[in-house]
Amino acid sequence: MDVKELVAKMTLEEKAGLCSGQDFWHTKAVERLQIPAMMVSDGPHGLRKQDESGDHLGINESIKAVCFPAGCATAASFDRELLYKVGETLGKECQAEGVGVILGPAVNIKRSPLCGRNFEYFSEDPYLASEIAASQIKGVQSKNVGTSIKHFAANNAETLRINMSSDVDERALREIYLAPFEIGVKNAKPWTVMSSYNKVNGVQMAENRELLTDILREEWGFDGVVVSDWGGVKDRIKALEAGNDLDMPENRRNNQSIIDAVRDGILSESVLDQSVERILELVFKAKEQERFTDEVDFENHRNLSRKVAE
């Protein structure tokens, strides 16, 4: 599939629509051009997929999946091979459920005991978090399923996380907060990176060109999709220009703002095309995994989970 040729056939409305979700967990399909939808799902510690199209925050039951120990426990193993096996196992369960990208691992640094998601993050040590994350990413992606290393960047608290600014000098940012992302991107090549809710030094992460383009893409060589955390995009035009490709979940108002900005000459259509190309490459790469799907051996997966816990 020649992605550039496909983009050339798309209408402005179709391109804008592809840059946000079809619903809570799927990218948008374009049936006219045989562009399929792709499903993403939570689950750095076990696949969390619900049958309904929306996210019911645990009210509705999820599909059957093995629960693995949380990031804080797996990192305590200091075992790269073990985390690779965990990744492989998660990848197999994603294959069986048609999930193209699993939203993890989460590599934010533990800085305060008040951070409600510390259990999900690997470590307060950037090197340990880097090595464990890279192993898990490689394991998942060995099964032709993508990962989304998150939450980029400096998302180290949950209180007012959508409005807060993480103010940090360059050395601390580079050596502590960016390090797990840098090593993860360079050594394991995750298919996607998730931009975080917070601001960094006063700039909303989804609109932060310095971090999303200058550092992530140009300096580190990331060539995949940047996806927002759910509802994390405030200004869709600034976000596209900064390098945030996919706005999740569905957001018709933001889609319309893209259409209007291109028509009014505020946003270059070439910027939109670049994001559409990246999203299409991701979708078709994920589609390939359907050729490798096998039946899940839940008993073996449970045994591995027990071994990891031990």
Side-chain angles (χ1 to χ4, degrees):
M1 178 66 66
D2 189 310
V3 167
K4 288 187 182 295
E5 286 184 13
L6 197 55
V7 173
K9 295 176 183 177
M10 296 176 74
T11 66
L12 176 59
E13 289 77 10
E14 286 169 340
K15 287 189 279 191
L18 196 69
C19 289
S20 84
Q22 179 169 289
D23 51 34
F24 210 87
W25 294 118
H26 294 85
T27 61
K28 195 160 283 159
V30 183
E31 293 180 8
R32 181 180 73 86
L33 296 171
Q34 296 181 306
I35 297 171
M38 179 194 73
M39 184 173 193
V40 303
S41 185
D42 276 340
H45 315 121
L47 183 62
R48 186 176 78 85
K49 176 189 173 186
Q50 292 181 325
D51 291 332
E52 303 294 328
S53 60
D55 177 31
H56 299 278
L57 298 175
I59 297 172
N60 285 10
E61 288 190 4
S62 296
I63 57 93
K64 184 177 180 181
V66 172
C67 180
F68 282 88
C72 59
T74 58
S77 71
F78 290 81
D79 191 331
R80 296 179 184 90
E81 288 186 18
L82 194 66
L83 267 292
Y84 185 90
K85 290 177 183 175
V86 170
E88 281 186 313
T89 306
L90 292 170
K92 288 176 183 177
E93 294 193 18
C94 286
Q95 280 182 343
E97 291 296 332
V99 173
V101 173
I102 190 168
L103 302 174
V107 299
N108 296 104
I109 299 297
K110 302 173 196 283
R111 299 301 286 166
S112 165
L114 301 180
C115 178
R117 295 180 76 170
N118 274 342
F119 74 94
E120 187 178 349
Y121 304 146
F122 288 125
S123 179
E124 72 280 12
D125 178 73
Y127 180 70
L128 176 57
S130 301
E131 294 294 308
I132 293 296
S135 294
Q136 184 167 324
I137 290 167
K138 289 176 183 176
V140 173
Q141 294 187 171
S142 73
K143 299 303 173 184
N144 303 286
V145 172
T147 56
S148 193
I149 192 170
K150 63 184 186 182
H151 309 84
F152 188 67
N155 181 183
N156 308 101
E158 290 301 296
T159 303
L160 301 175
R161 63 182 178 172
I162 294 178
N163 301 309
M164 71 170 294
S165 177
S166 299
D167 297 334
V168 54
D169 66 33
E170 185 175 5
R171 182 174 181 182
L173 185 64
R174 291 279 189 167
E175 295 183 2
I176 299 173
Y177 301 102
L178 294 187
F181 293 98
E182 180 178 6
I183 301 303
V185 165
K186 288 181 175 179
N187 290 1
K189 301 189 184 305
W191 291 7
T192 75
V193 169
M194 185 186 293
S195 60
S196 55
Y197 287 121
N198 55 289
K199 302 180 183 77
V200 173
N201 294 330
V203 181
Q204 204 75 43
M205 260 312 305
E207 303 165 18
N208 197 315
R209 183 175 176 82
E210 179 184 7
L211 285 165
L212 295 182
T213 294
D214 297 348
I215 292 176
L216 177 62
R217 293 193 187 281
E218 295 179 3
E219 187 179 322
W220 298 349
F222 177 67
D223 60 1
V225 168
V226 173
V227 56
S228 73
D229 206 340
W230 269 227
V233 172
K234 294 187 177 180
D235 187 315
R236 189 64 186 106
I237 308 312
K238 288 182 180 178
L240 271 176
E241 290 176 331
N244 199 115
D245 305 301
L246 181 57
D247 174 15
M248 288 297 286
E250 179 184 21
N251 196 322
R252 295 179 187 178
R253 183 181 64 182
N254 276 359
N255 293 345
Q256 188 60 48
S257 72
I258 295 171
I259 295 167
D260 294 342
V262 171
R263 286 178 176 164
D264 294 342
I266 296 168
L267 175 68
S268 170
E269 193 164 358
S270 64
V271 172
L272 174 60
D273 288 352
Q274 189 173 46
S275 286
V276 172
E277 285 178 20
R278 291 173 186 145
I279 293 166
L280 287 175
E281 286 171 357
L282 172 67
V283 168
F284 286 116
K285 186 158 58 171
K287 189 71 175 171
E288 281 289 296
Q289 57 111 319
E290 293 179 3
R291 298 191 293 114
F292 304 96
T293 301
D294 294 317
E295 191 171 333
V296 174
D297 186 342
F298 284 110
E299 185 59 34
N300 274 343
H301 292 192
R302 283 192 291 270
N303 288 338
L304 176 61
S305 183
R306 279 193 290 269
K307 180 181 177 182
V308 173
E310 289 164 5

